[in-house]
């Protein structure tokens, strides 16, 4: 990490959590993020990425992209894997990136895990808030038409 300025990890986690909510679709977002959080906490960083890439199709890739963006901003020099000027979200590329960069140093890995957990917690709260807001809006529209 560079000595020039301290990184506010909580703010970083919150920003990327907001991006997860903006860049995902449907009501499954809360479910996707909750499952990913559980896997991250129980099985670790690599397992979380593996799960999102293998089991959670569209929303999983959006969450992975934000997780990679967060990793890039941690200050460890972990640039996201790129292909043709865009983040490469292919399973092999992402998983190799995690193995070769993120899991290399235990201290960095633990900080990464903690920061990703915070991001996923914020994303879960954000998804729940959006879902409740949509339900409230639907309810208001229905009451207005009756």
């Amino acid at each position: 990490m560079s000595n020039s300025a301290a990184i506010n990890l909580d703010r970083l986690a919150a920003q990327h959590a907001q991006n997860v909510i903006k860049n995902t679709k449907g009501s499954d977002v809360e479910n996707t993020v909750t499952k990913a959080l559980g896997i991250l906490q129980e099985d670790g960083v690599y397992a979380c990425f593996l799960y999102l890439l293998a089991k959670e199709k569209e929303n999983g890739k959006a969450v992975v992209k934000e997780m990679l963006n967060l990793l890039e901003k941690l200050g460890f020099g972990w640039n996201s894997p790129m292909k043709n000027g865009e983040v490469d979200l292919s399973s092999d590329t992402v998983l190799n990136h995690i193995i070769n960069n993120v899991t290399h140093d235990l201290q960095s890995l633990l900080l990464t895990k903690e920061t990703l957990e915070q991001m996923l917690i914020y994303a879960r709260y954000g998804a729940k808030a959006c879902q409740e807001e949509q339900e409230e809006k639907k309810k208001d529209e229905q009451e207005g038409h009756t």
Side-chain angles (χ1 to χ4, degrees), residues 22-101:
K22 282 188 234 172
N23 298 324
T24 51
K25 302 172 188 149
S27 59
D28 309 359
V29 179
E30 183 184 1
N31 190 38
T32 298
V33 169
T34 299
K35 286 180 180 180
L37 177 61
I39 291 168
L40 177 64
Q41 291 172 329
E42 292 294 318
D43 302 312
V45 173
Y46 181 84
C48 181
F49 276 93
L50 181 61
Y51 168 76
L52 286 167
L53 291 167
K55 297 290 185 180
E56 298 290 333
K57 298 300 175 210
E58 195 63 38
N59 284 337
K61 287 201 179 218
V63 174
V64 165
K65 186 173 183 178
E66 277 313 308
M67 289 169 71
L68 289 171
N69 288 340
L70 185 146
L71 293 179
E72 195 169 322
K73 299 243 172 84
L74 284 178
F76 296 125
W78 299 333
N79 295 323
S80 295
M82 302 296 281
K83 184 176 184 180
N84 299 329
E86 293 192 18
V87 176
D88 185 353
L89 295 175
S90 64
S91 296
D92 289 344
T93 302
V94 171
L95 296 175
N96 282 328
H97 178 71
I98 299 304
I99 288 170
N100 294 325
N101 297 300

